Amino acid sequence: MTAVLTRRPGLAKIRTARSPLYLVCLGLVALITAAALLAPWGVPHDPNTVDLGNALAGPSAEHLLGVDAAGRDTLSRLLLGARTSLLGPLGVVAFSTLAGVAVGMTAAWRGGWLDSVLSRSTELVFAFPGMLLAILIISVYGEGLFAPVIALSIAYLPYVSRLTRSLVLAERERPYVSAYQVQGHSALQICLRHILPNIAPVVLAQSTINFGYALMDLASLSFLGLGVPALTPDWGRMVFDGQTAIQHGYPLSAILPCVFIVLTVVAFNVVGERWADRVARRDR
C-alpha cells in the first residue's frame, strides 16, 4: 500500500480579502517602504544642515513641510528617518522570528524535559518588561540601534516561540508527518521542508503585527533619548526635538513624525491581522 503524502496549502495559497481598509493599509506599507529605500536619492535638502536664521519657518516652496527649531528641512528628515525607523523594527522581527521559530519547533518536536526547560525560559522572559531590558542594555552599550534591537528581539522572542510550538504540536498529529517518518526522513528534514512551510503563513502574520509594535517601542526609546544618536534622522528623535518648537507655538515638526509613526503602526497591524484572519478562516 502506497502512502499518500498530503500537505496543507502553504504561503502561496493565501488569498487575503480585498477590503478597502486592507488595500489602503497595504498601499501605505508599500509607499513608506519605497520612501525609505529611495530616500537618499529623493530628499530635497541635507537633513543635517543647520540654518538658525530660518528656524521654525513654516511651509514654503523651498521647504514644503517647513523646518525645525534648528532650521533643518522637515521633509528631508522625515524621508530619511523612515530608513532608521523601519530598519530597527525589521531587525527585531528578523531576529525574534528566526530564534522564536527555532526554539518553538525544537520544544514541540523533542518534548519532554527539553520542552519544559525552553517553555519555562520563555515564560521568564515574559515576566521581564522589554522596554526595561532595552534601557538596561543601552546603559551598558550606549546609543545606537544595536542595543535596543537585541533587547527587543529577546522580548519578542517568546511570542513567536509559543505560537510556533502550538502550531508544530498540531502539525505533528497530521498523517503526512508519520508517512515521512516511515519513509526514513529525518526530523530536521520534516521540520524544515514540510512543517515550516505549512506554519509560515501564521508566523508571518504574527511577525507583521510585531513589526508595528517594535516600531512604536523603538520610537519611544528614541523619544527618551536612548535610541539613535542625536543627529540621526529618526521619527522618534524628531518628536523629541520638536518639543521646543511646540513650546513656541510651532507644533508641525513634532506632529508630522507622530502622524507617520501612528499611520505606519496601524497599517502594519491591519495587514498582519488580516493575514492572520485569513489563515484562521482557511484552517476552519
Side-chain angles (χ1 to χ4, degrees), residues 125-228:
V125 177
F126 267 123
F128 202 87
M131 291 291 284
L132 179 57
L133 179 62
I135 292 173
L136 290 176
I137 294 181
I138 291 170
S139 65
V140 175
Y141 290 98
E143 291 183 333
L145 276 179
F146 177 78
V149 165
I150 294 300
L152 292 179
S153 297
I154 296 173
Y156 279 80
L157 186 151
Y159 297 95
V160 182
S161 174
R162 294 182 67 176
L163 175 64
T164 302
R165 178 181 178 275
S166 64
L167 293 172
V168 174
L169 286 175
E171 287 293 317
R172 285 201 65 179
E173 303 301 320
R174 297 187 177 273
Y176 77 87
V177 175
S178 300
Y180 280 120
Q181 287 177 317
V182 169
Q183 290 190 1
H185 290 253
S186 67
L188 185 62
Q189 286 178 316
I190 296 173
C191 287
L192 295 183
R193 296 178 59 182
H194 306 290
I195 292 180
L196 183 58
N198 286 338
I199 68 173
V202 184
V203 175
L204 177 61
Q206 179 63 51
S207 297
T208 305
I209 296 173
N210 288 347
F211 186 97
Y213 289 122
L215 190 154
M216 188 165 51
D217 288 341
L218 288 171
S220 300
L221 289 172
S222 294
F223 174 77
L224 295 174
L226 301 174
V228 299

XYZ file of all heavy atoms in Angstrom, residues 125-228:
795
model
N 11.106 35.272 30.369
C 11.276 36.470 29.541
C 9.992 37.286 29.531
O 10.015 38.521 29.549
C 11.690 36.090 28.110
C 11.798 37.323 27.234
C 13.015 35.350 28.134
N 8.834 36.607 29.508
C 7.551 37.303 29.564
C 7.437 38.162 30.814
O 6.829 39.234 30.791
C 6.398 36.292 29.565
C 5.859 35.993 28.193
C 5.829 34.701 27.729
C 5.368 37.004 27.383
C 5.328 34.412 26.464
C 4.871 36.731 26.126
C 4.851 35.428 25.660
N 8.006 37.695 31.910
C 7.873 38.401 33.185
C 8.744 39.644 33.262
O 8.563 40.465 34.175
C 8.229 37.458 34.338
N 9.682 39.802 32.319
C 10.606 40.941 32.347
C 10.205 41.924 31.250
O 10.220 41.574 30.075
C 12.044 40.465 32.127
C 13.069 41.428 32.636
C 13.490 41.386 33.943
C 13.603 42.406 31.803
C 14.438 42.268 34.420
C 14.547 43.293 32.265
C 14.964 43.226 33.582
N 9.824 43.163 31.595
C 9.386 44.127 30.576
C 10.457 44.394 29.523
O 11.631 44.623 29.859
C 9.093 45.401 31.394
C 8.879 44.918 32.790
C 9.756 43.717 32.950
N 10.058 44.351 28.256
C 11.003 44.536 27.167
C 11.659 45.899 27.171
O 12.856 46.025 26.906
N 10.888 46.943 27.478
C 11.442 48.293 27.493
C 12.494 48.451 28.588
O 13.518 49.097 28.403
C 10.326 49.322 27.675
C 9.389 49.438 26.482
S 10.203 50.172 25.037
C 10.242 51.885 25.545
N 12.230 47.836 29.748
C 13.208 47.904 30.838
C 14.486 47.172 30.458
O 15.604 47.652 30.731
C 12.613 47.301 32.107
C 13.525 47.274 33.343
C 13.995 48.682 33.683
C 12.806 46.648 34.529
N 14.340 46.026 29.798
C 15.514 45.294 29.325
C 16.306 46.135 28.327
O 17.546 46.160 28.365
C 15.077 43.979 28.680
C 16.187 43.096 28.096
C 17.146 42.652 29.198
C 15.586 41.891 27.393
N 15.588 46.831 27.434
C 16.260 47.679 26.455
C 17.027 48.810 27.131
O 18.166 49.111 26.763
C 15.224 48.250 25.472
N 16.421 49.427 28.133
C 17.084 50.522 28.846
C 18.339 50.020 29.552
O 19.387 50.688 29.567
C 16.103 51.172 29.836
C 14.989 51.900 29.078
C 16.830 52.144 30.763
C 13.885 52.430 29.961
N 18.261 48.823 30.146
C 19.425 48.268 30.838
C 20.567 47.990 29.860
O 21.735 48.299 30.147
C 19.022 46.980 31.563
C 18.112 47.136 32.787
C 17.720 45.774 33.333
C 18.796 47.960 33.866
N 20.250 47.406 28.702
C 21.296 47.100 27.726
C 21.869 48.378 27.131
O 23.076 48.486 26.898
C 20.732 46.172 26.629
C 20.372 44.810 27.236
C 21.740 45.995 25.496
C 19.824 43.825 26.241
N 21.013 49.382 26.880
C 21.502 50.653 26.350
C 22.438 51.332 27.341
O 23.434 51.958 26.954
C 20.315 51.568 26.007
C 19.547 51.020 24.805
C 20.789 52.989 25.689
C 18.235 51.724 24.543
N 22.153 51.198 28.628
C 23.017 51.810 29.634
C 24.415 51.181 29.631
O 25.392 51.811 30.054
C 22.391 51.656 31.025
O 22.330 50.285 31.408
N 24.523 49.953 29.131
C 25.824 49.272 29.066
C 26.543 49.573 27.753
O 27.729 49.905 27.724
C 25.645 47.752 29.242
C 26.985 47.035 29.043
C 25.063 47.435 30.608
N 25.785 49.485 26.631
C 26.402 49.601 25.308
C 26.301 51.000 24.702
O 26.929 51.273 23.683
C 25.764 48.595 24.351
C 26.122 47.169 24.670
C 25.258 46.366 25.410
C 27.327 46.626 24.256
C 25.584 45.052 25.714
C 27.667 45.316 24.554
C 26.788 44.533 25.288
O 27.116 43.246 25.587
N 25.508 51.880 25.277
C 25.401 53.240 24.769
C 24.399 53.383 23.634
O 23.621 52.469 23.334
N 24.412 54.573 22.996
C 23.450 54.878 21.943
C 23.669 54.014 20.705
O 24.732 53.445 20.502
C 23.548 56.360 21.555
C 23.073 57.317 22.622
C 23.133 58.759 22.144
O 23.978 59.067 21.267
O 22.349 59.577 22.626
N 22.633 53.991 19.874
C 22.709 53.229 18.636
C 21.551 52.247 18.528
O 20.794 52.059 19.483
N 21.417 51.621 17.370
C 20.331 50.670 17.150
C 20.631 49.289 17.707
O 19.703 48.532 18.009
C 20.040 50.547 15.648
C 19.115 51.591 15.017
C 18.973 51.326 13.533
C 17.750 51.583 15.696
N 21.904 48.929 17.840
C 22.257 47.560 18.197
C 21.640 47.136 19.528
O 20.977 46.090 19.614
C 23.777 47.406 18.257
C 24.229 46.038 18.690
C 24.213 44.987 17.793
C 24.654 45.815 19.996
C 24.619 43.715 18.193
C 25.059 44.561 20.407
C 25.041 43.507 19.506
N 21.848 47.919 20.569
C 21.393 47.530 21.903
C 19.869 47.391 21.978
O 19.364 46.363 22.441
C 21.903 48.530 22.944
N 19.089 48.400 21.558
C 17.630 48.231 21.637
C 17.088 47.124 20.738
O 16.113 46.463 21.099
C 17.086 49.600 21.223
C 18.190 50.282 20.511
C 19.448 49.754 21.102
N 17.711 46.907 19.578
C 17.240 45.838 18.690
C 17.452 44.476 19.346
O 16.551 43.619 19.320
C 17.966 45.910 17.322
C 17.780 44.610 16.542
C 17.428 47.073 16.507
N 18.613 44.254 19.948
C 18.877 42.980 20.620
C 17.929 42.798 21.802
O 17.355 41.712 22.007
C 20.340 42.911 21.094
C 21.282 42.883 19.889
C 20.559 41.694 21.971
C 21.067 41.717 18.958
N 17.734 43.862 22.588
C 16.865 43.765 23.760
C 15.423 43.461 23.370
O 14.782 42.578 23.955
C 16.939 45.069 24.558
N 14.910 44.163 22.392
C 13.526 43.935 21.979
C 13.371 42.605 21.255
O 12.296 41.996 21.300
C 13.052 45.093 21.091
C 12.896 46.434 21.810
C 12.456 47.521 20.826
C 11.871 46.332 22.945
N 14.422 42.147 20.570
C 14.364 40.819 19.946
C 14.163 39.748 21.008
O 13.369 38.813 20.831
C 15.645 40.539 19.163
O 15.800 41.451 18.095
N 14.874 39.880 22.121
C 14.702 38.934 23.227
C 13.297 39.041 23.808
O 12.661 38.031 24.145
C 15.759 39.204 24.314
C 17.168 38.943 23.758
C 15.512 38.340 25.542
C 18.285 39.343 24.702
N 12.781 40.271 23.907
C 11.451 40.471 24.474
C 10.347 39.913 23.584
O 9.331 39.411 24.080
C 11.217 41.963 24.727
N 10.532 39.977 22.261
C 9.509 39.499 21.329
C 9.648 38.011 21.019
O 8.727 37.417 20.461
C 9.582 40.303 20.031
C 8.897 41.640 20.103
C 9.527 42.735 20.698
C 7.630 41.827 19.587
C 8.913 43.958 20.780
C 6.997 43.053 19.651
C 7.643 44.123 20.250
O 7.024 45.346 20.330
N 10.776 37.420 21.339
C 11.002 36.011 21.032
C 9.940 35.084 21.619
O 9.479 34.163 20.929
C 12.403 35.614 21.519
C 12.903 34.212 21.184
C 14.424 34.225 21.076
C 12.491 33.178 22.232
N 9.502 35.252 22.880
C 8.513 34.317 23.426
C 7.192 34.285 22.659
O 6.547 33.225 22.594
C 8.300 34.844 24.851
C 9.539 35.587 25.179
C 9.964 36.203 23.889
N 6.776 35.426 22.091
C 5.518 35.441 21.344
C 5.601 34.505 20.127
O 4.674 33.732 19.855
C 5.202 36.861 20.889
C 4.973 37.834 22.009
C 6.001 38.647 22.491
C 3.714 37.942 22.606
C 5.795 39.531 23.532
C 3.501 38.837 23.654
C 4.542 39.629 24.111
O 4.337 40.503 25.141
N 6.715 34.588 19.423
C 6.890 33.730 18.247
C 7.124 32.281 18.673
O 6.608 31.347 18.056
C 8.068 34.234 17.391
C 8.236 33.377 16.138
C 7.862 35.694 16.991
N 7.873 32.101 19.737
C 8.198 30.750 20.201
C 6.951 29.984 20.623
O 6.754 28.823 20.233
C 9.192 30.832 21.365
O 9.420 29.565 21.920
N 6.098 30.606 21.400
C 4.897 29.920 21.882
C 3.931 29.639 20.746
O 3.292 28.581 20.703
C 4.223 30.757 22.968
C 5.051 30.888 24.230
C 4.357 31.668 25.309
N 3.185 30.960 25.829
C 2.452 31.400 26.838
N 2.767 32.550 27.436
N 1.423 30.716 27.270
N 3.824 30.598 19.820
C 2.967 30.367 18.654
C 3.492 29.203 17.819
O 2.721 28.319 17.406
C 2.897 31.641 17.814
C 2.140 31.532 16.487
C 0.668 31.217 16.733
C 2.293 32.815 15.676
N 4.796 29.196 17.563
C 5.396 28.121 16.766
C 5.213 26.773 17.449
O 4.902 25.767 16.791
C 6.890 28.396 16.544
O 7.058 29.658 15.891
C 7.528 27.311 15.704
N 5.423 26.726 18.728
C 5.273 25.453 19.465
C 3.874 24.889 19.299
O 3.703 23.685 19.041
C 5.601 25.680 20.939
C 5.442 24.431 21.806
C 5.762 24.711 23.268
N 5.555 23.534 24.094
C 4.382 23.186 24.602
N 3.306 23.937 24.373
N 4.272 22.084 25.349
N 2.857 25.727 19.480
C 1.473 25.241 19.358
C 1.170 24.778 17.936
O 0.478 23.772 17.730
C 0.496 26.336 19.778
O 0.565 27.454 18.906
N 1.702 25.483 16.944
C 1.462 25.101 15.551
C 2.143 23.780 15.206
O 1.568 22.926 14.532
C 1.956 26.207 14.613
C 1.212 27.544 14.658
C 1.949 28.581 13.820
C -0.222 27.377 14.171
N 3.388 23.613 15.677
C 4.122 22.383 15.376
C 3.491 21.191 16.079
O 3.416 20.082 15.514
C 5.605 22.534 15.770
C 6.351 21.217 15.590
C 6.261 23.617 14.931
N 3.014 21.383 17.311
C 2.334 20.291 18.009
C 1.112 19.821 17.226
O 0.842 18.611 17.146
C 1.919 20.745 19.412
C 3.042 20.876 20.449
C 2.500 21.452 21.748
C 3.699 19.515 20.707
N 0.379 20.769 16.645
C -0.781 20.394 15.840
C -0.359 19.687 14.548
O -0.991 18.712 14.123
C -1.609 21.635 15.519
N 0.723 20.166 13.924
C 1.185 19.562 12.676
C 1.702 18.138 12.885
O 1.554 17.284 12.004
C 2.297 20.419 12.060
C 1.822 21.717 11.444
C 0.959 21.486 10.229
O 1.295 20.620 9.397
O -0.080 22.165 10.112
N 2.307 17.885 14.030
C 2.865 16.553 14.293
C 1.804 15.458 14.284
O 2.114 14.283 14.050
C 3.587 16.529 15.643
C 4.932 17.225 15.639
C 5.785 16.728 16.789
N 6.113 15.310 16.643
C 6.858 14.609 17.495
N 7.357 15.217 18.565
N 7.109 13.350 17.307
N 0.553 15.842 14.547
C -0.525 14.861 14.583
C -1.085 14.543 13.210
O -1.948 13.669 13.083
C -1.656 15.382 15.493
C -1.220 15.695 16.915
C -0.643 14.465 17.612
O -1.212 13.360 17.413
O 0.358 14.607 18.338
N -0.628 15.219 12.188
C -1.177 15.013 10.848
C -0.528 13.798 10.178
O 0.646 13.501 10.414
C -0.987 16.273 10.004
C -1.752 17.472 10.572
C -1.697 18.674 9.661
N -2.498 19.753 10.219
C -3.805 19.917 10.016
N -4.454 19.059 9.242
N -4.454 20.923 10.553
N -1.290 13.113 9.334
C -0.794 11.860 8.737
C 0.482 12.014 7.917
O 1.303 11.102 7.868
C -1.973 11.411 7.853
C -3.171 12.062 8.446
C -2.698 13.370 8.988
N 0.663 13.159 7.271
C 1.819 13.273 6.383
C 3.131 13.221 7.156
O 4.160 12.779 6.623
C 1.736 14.545 5.538
C 2.091 15.841 6.246
C 3.402 16.277 6.311
C 1.114 16.644 6.822
C 3.741 17.470 6.932
C 1.429 17.831 7.448
C 2.754 18.241 7.504
O 3.067 19.412 8.120
N 3.128 13.660 8.433
C 4.345 13.592 9.239
C 4.722 12.139 9.503
O 5.890 11.735 9.351
C 4.158 14.362 10.553
C 5.384 14.191 11.457
C 3.929 15.848 10.282
N 3.747 11.324 9.895
C 4.013 9.899 10.122
C 4.477 9.214 8.849
O 5.374 8.348 8.875
C 2.749 9.219 10.657
O 2.337 9.787 11.881
N 3.892 9.591 7.724
C 4.280 8.989 6.450
C 5.725 9.297 6.113
O 6.476 8.419 5.654
C 3.350 9.482 5.346
N 6.149 10.527 6.333
C 7.537 10.890 6.058
C 8.488 10.182 7.017
O 9.603 9.802 6.637
C 7.721 12.399 6.153
C 7.275 13.145 4.914
C 6.267 14.101 4.972
C 7.858 12.893 3.677
C 5.862 14.792 3.839
C 7.460 13.575 2.546
C 6.458 14.516 2.629
O 6.056 15.178 1.503
N 8.075 10.005 8.279
C 8.924 9.292 9.233
C 9.114 7.834 8.810
O 10.208 7.284 8.916
C 8.302 9.370 10.631
C 8.412 10.739 11.273
C 7.716 10.800 12.617
O 6.607 10.274 12.781
N 8.357 11.439 13.587
N 8.016 7.206 8.347
C 8.098 5.816 7.884
C 9.054 5.695 6.706
O 9.791 4.705 6.564
C 6.698 5.292 7.509
C 6.785 3.950 6.784
C 5.839 5.163 8.753
N 9.082 6.694 5.840
C 9.964 6.659 4.671
C 11.418 6.976 5.011
O 12.280 6.979 4.126
C 9.459 7.651 3.616
C 8.160 7.220 2.969
C 7.795 8.078 1.779
O 8.541 8.990 1.422
N 6.670 7.793 1.163
N 11.703 7.256 6.277
C 13.084 7.440 6.694
C 13.574 8.874 6.703
O 14.782 9.105 6.853
N 12.687 9.860 6.556
C 13.103 11.259 6.599
C 13.499 11.635 8.026
O 12.847 11.229 8.988
C 11.972 12.166 6.113
C 11.702 12.049 4.647
N 12.055 13.017 3.736
C 11.118 11.065 3.916
C 11.697 12.651 2.523
N 11.122 11.460 2.609
N 14.545 12.419 8.144
C 14.996 12.851 9.469
C 14.064 13.923 10.025
O 13.278 14.539 9.293
C 16.419 13.395 9.394
O 16.443 14.604 8.635
N 14.178 14.145 11.338
C 13.356 15.170 11.980
C 13.638 16.548 11.399
O 12.715 17.355 11.196
C 13.621 15.162 13.482
N 14.926 16.823 11.119
C 15.286 18.126 10.557
C 14.671 18.319 9.176
O 14.160 19.403 8.856
C 16.809 18.252 10.486
C 17.353 19.612 10.032
C 16.930 20.701 11.011
C 18.875 19.567 9.901
N 14.689 17.286 8.353
C 14.086 17.383 7.021
C 12.587 17.623 7.106
O 12.041 18.456 6.381
C 14.360 16.093 6.235
C 15.784 15.939 5.743
C 15.982 14.623 5.017
O 15.515 13.571 5.464
N 16.666 14.671 3.884
N 11.917 16.887 7.975
C 10.464 17.033 8.103
C 10.108 18.428 8.595
O 9.178 19.074 8.084
C 9.901 15.959 9.052
C 10.116 14.565 8.456
C 8.425 16.199 9.325
C 9.741 13.438 9.394
N 10.861 18.918 9.583
C 10.551 20.234 10.154
C 10.795 21.362 9.148
O 9.949 22.251 8.989
C 11.391 20.461 11.407
S 10.861 19.480 12.829
N 11.939 21.325 8.476
C 12.310 22.434 7.601
C 11.618 22.377 6.244
O 11.219 23.416 5.697
C 13.824 22.462 7.402
C 14.671 22.743 8.653
C 16.143 22.807 8.294
C 14.229 24.033 9.336
N 11.455 21.196 5.683
C 10.934 21.068 4.324
C 9.425 20.914 4.267
O 8.813 21.177 3.219
C 11.602 19.881 3.629
C 13.103 20.050 3.425
C 13.734 18.828 2.788
N 13.128 18.542 1.485
C 13.470 17.502 0.723
N 14.414 16.663 1.152
N 12.889 17.304 -0.438
N 8.790 20.508 5.371
C 7.365 20.209 5.303
C 6.537 20.947 6.358
O 5.522 21.555 6.041
C 7.148 18.698 5.423
C 7.943 17.908 4.434
N 7.674 17.916 3.086
C 9.032 17.109 4.595
C 8.545 17.141 2.449
N 9.393 16.646 3.351
N 6.964 20.907 7.609
C 6.196 21.581 8.655
C 6.351 23.096 8.569
O 5.363 23.837 8.651
C 6.616 21.070 10.048
C 6.198 19.610 10.221
C 5.987 21.928 11.144
C 6.560 19.020 11.571
N 7.589 23.562 8.403
C 7.830 25.006 8.371
C 7.033 25.724 7.277
O 6.429 26.775 7.540
C 9.324 25.280 8.228
C 9.745 26.756 8.262
C 9.301 27.412 9.562
C 11.252 26.891 8.084
N 6.994 25.229 6.029
C 6.175 25.914 5.018
C 4.696 25.964 5.377
O 3.992 26.904 4.995
C 6.401 25.067 3.760
C 7.725 24.422 3.966
C 7.789 24.125 5.429
N 4.214 24.968 6.124
C 2.794 24.947 6.480
C 2.445 25.948 7.575
O 1.325 26.466 7.617
C 2.389 23.538 6.927
C 2.279 22.569 5.770
O 2.096 22.987 4.629
N 2.411 21.293 6.052
N 3.385 26.198 8.494
C 3.107 27.144 9.581
C 3.577 28.556 9.238
O 3.284 29.499 9.978
C 3.760 26.687 10.900
C 5.294 26.775 10.804
C 3.314 25.284 11.261
C 6.009 26.494 12.115
N 4.301 28.706 8.116
C 4.862 30.015 7.757
C 3.817 31.121 7.642
O 4.074 32.253 8.082
C 5.657 29.898 6.455
N 2.625 30.888 7.058
C 1.657 31.985 6.956
C 1.246 32.571 8.298
O 1.134 33.789 8.446
C 0.464 31.321 6.247
C 1.045 30.186 5.501
C 2.163 29.676 6.354
N 1.039 31.705 9.297
C 0.639 32.197 10.618
C 1.784 32.950 11.280
O 1.586 34.018 11.876
C 0.183 31.025 11.511
C -0.337 31.543 12.849
C -0.887 30.204 10.816
N 2.993 32.414 11.184
C 4.156 33.077 11.778
C 4.406 34.420 11.097
O 4.724 35.417 11.753
C 5.398 32.171 11.673
C 6.645 32.899 12.174
C 5.193 30.890 12.455
N 4.249 34.471 9.783
C 4.439 35.723 9.051
C 3.423 36.773 9.482
O 3.762 37.956 9.647
C 4.333 35.475 7.549
C 4.429 36.715 6.647
C 5.770 37.404 6.841
C 4.228 36.336 5.184
N 2.181 36.345 9.673
C 1.150 37.284 10.123
C 1.495 37.849 11.497
O 1.376 39.061 11.741
C -0.210 36.583 10.157
N 1.944 36.986 12.414
C 2.327 37.449 13.745
C 3.535 38.378 13.686
O 3.599 39.387 14.389
C 2.636 36.245 14.637
C 3.063 36.606 16.050
C 1.972 37.336 16.808
O 0.834 36.884 16.861
N 2.310 38.481 17.401
N 4.499 38.065 12.828
C 5.691 38.905 12.700
C 5.347 40.280 12.141
O 5.967 41.280 12.514
C 6.719 38.205 11.804
O 7.153 36.989 12.386
N 4.364 40.331 11.234
C 3.937 41.621 10.691
C 3.328 42.492 11.779
O 3.577 43.701 11.850
C 2.917 41.403 9.558
O 3.479 40.537 8.571
C 2.546 42.725 8.908
N 2.533 41.884 12.653
C 1.967 42.627 13.782
C 3.079 43.067 14.729
O 3.096 44.206 15.219
C 0.925 41.759 14.515
C -0.255 41.453 13.587
C 0.433 42.453 15.781
C -1.241 40.467 14.159
N 4.033 42.170 14.984
C 5.157 42.510 15.870
C 5.965 43.686 15.322
O 6.519 44.475 16.093
C 6.076 41.299 16.039
C 5.455 40.214 16.893
O 4.448 40.436 17.565
N 6.041 39.037 16.865
N 6.040 43.792 13.990
C 6.798 44.884 13.371
C 6.242 46.236 13.819
O 7.002 47.150 14.170
C 6.728 44.765 11.846
C 7.597 45.758 11.121
C 8.851 45.394 10.671
C 7.158 47.050 10.876
C 9.663 46.306 10.005
C 7.948 47.963 10.208
C 9.209 47.593 9.773
N 4.925 46.377 13.797
C 4.321 47.643 14.209
C 4.606 47.978 15.658
O 4.952 49.120 15.999
N 4.493 46.979 16.528
C 4.760 47.221 17.948
C 6.241 47.524 18.193
O 6.579 48.363 19.039
C 4.326 46.014 18.767
C 2.824 45.854 18.847
C 2.200 44.690 18.409
C 2.026 46.867 19.361
C 0.828 44.543 18.475
C 0.656 46.735 19.424
C 0.055 45.567 18.989
O -1.307 45.433 19.048
N 7.119 46.846 17.457
C 8.556 47.109 17.611
C 8.896 48.523 17.156
O 9.735 49.205 17.760
C 9.362 46.079 16.817
N 8.255 48.969 16.082
C 8.471 50.345 15.606
C 8.085 51.349 16.693
O 8.803 52.320 16.953
C 7.673 50.586 14.335
C 7.945 51.881 13.551
C 7.605 51.684 12.074
C 7.142 53.066 14.097
N 6.945 51.100 17.336
C 6.487 52.009 18.385
C 7.433 51.992 19.585
O 7.738 53.041 20.175
C 5.067 51.615 18.811
C 4.391 52.588 19.745
S 2.610 52.289 19.836
C 2.561 50.526 20.177
N 7.920 50.807 19.962
C 8.848 50.708 21.097
C 10.158 51.432 20.800
O 10.693 52.155 21.653
C 9.131 49.242 21.414
C 7.941 48.544 22.060
O 7.071 49.249 22.580
O 7.894 47.302 22.025
N 10.696 51.233 19.606
C 11.957 51.887 19.246
C 11.792 53.401 19.138
O 12.691 54.161 19.513
C 12.487 51.312 17.935
C 13.032 49.883 18.020
C 13.332 49.339 16.631
C 14.287 49.830 18.888
N 10.648 53.844 18.623
C 10.383 55.288 18.569
C 10.293 55.873 19.975
O 10.756 56.993 20.228
C 9.100 55.548 17.790
N 9.714 55.113 20.900
C 9.627 55.575 22.291
C 11.011 55.715 22.911
O 11.295 56.682 23.636
C 8.783 54.596 23.115
O 7.472 54.488 22.592
N 11.889 54.753 22.620
C 13.257 54.836 23.145
C 14.000 56.035 22.555
O 14.738 56.726 23.270
C 14.011 53.543 22.835
C 13.575 52.300 23.619
C 14.251 51.056 23.074
C 13.885 52.462 25.104
N 13.801 56.288 21.261
C 14.440 57.451 20.643
C 13.889 58.750 21.226
O 14.627 59.721 21.418
C 14.221 57.424 19.123
O 14.885 56.332 18.530
N 12.601 58.772 21.514
C 11.994 59.957 22.130
C 12.605 60.233 23.504
O 12.793 61.384 23.905
C 10.487 59.765 22.249
C 9.792 60.860 22.999
C 9.538 62.084 22.392
C 9.405 60.689 24.325
C 8.902 63.108 23.077
C 8.762 61.699 25.020
C 8.522 62.924 24.391
N 12.939 59.162 24.213
C 13.556 59.316 25.536
C 15.048 59.633 25.449
O 15.702 59.803 26.479
C 13.354 58.031 26.351
C 11.903 57.690 26.714
C 11.838 56.321 27.375
C 11.312 58.754 27.624
N 15.582 59.680 24.216
C 16.990 59.951 24.036
C 17.868 58.737 24.238
O 19.083 58.865 24.445
N 17.277 57.528 24.155
C 18.013 56.297 24.404
C 18.202 55.459 23.148
O 18.708 54.346 23.219
C 17.283 55.450 25.465
C 17.084 56.112 26.826
C 16.223 55.232 27.719
C 18.428 56.376 27.485
N 17.800 55.986 22.007
C 17.897 55.219 20.775
C 19.063 55.666 19.916
O 20.216 55.615 20.323
N 18.731 56.141 18.722
C 19.761 56.554 17.777
C 20.443 57.832 18.262
O 19.879 58.584 19.065
C 19.142 56.778 16.386
C 18.532 55.498 15.858
C 18.094 57.890 16.427
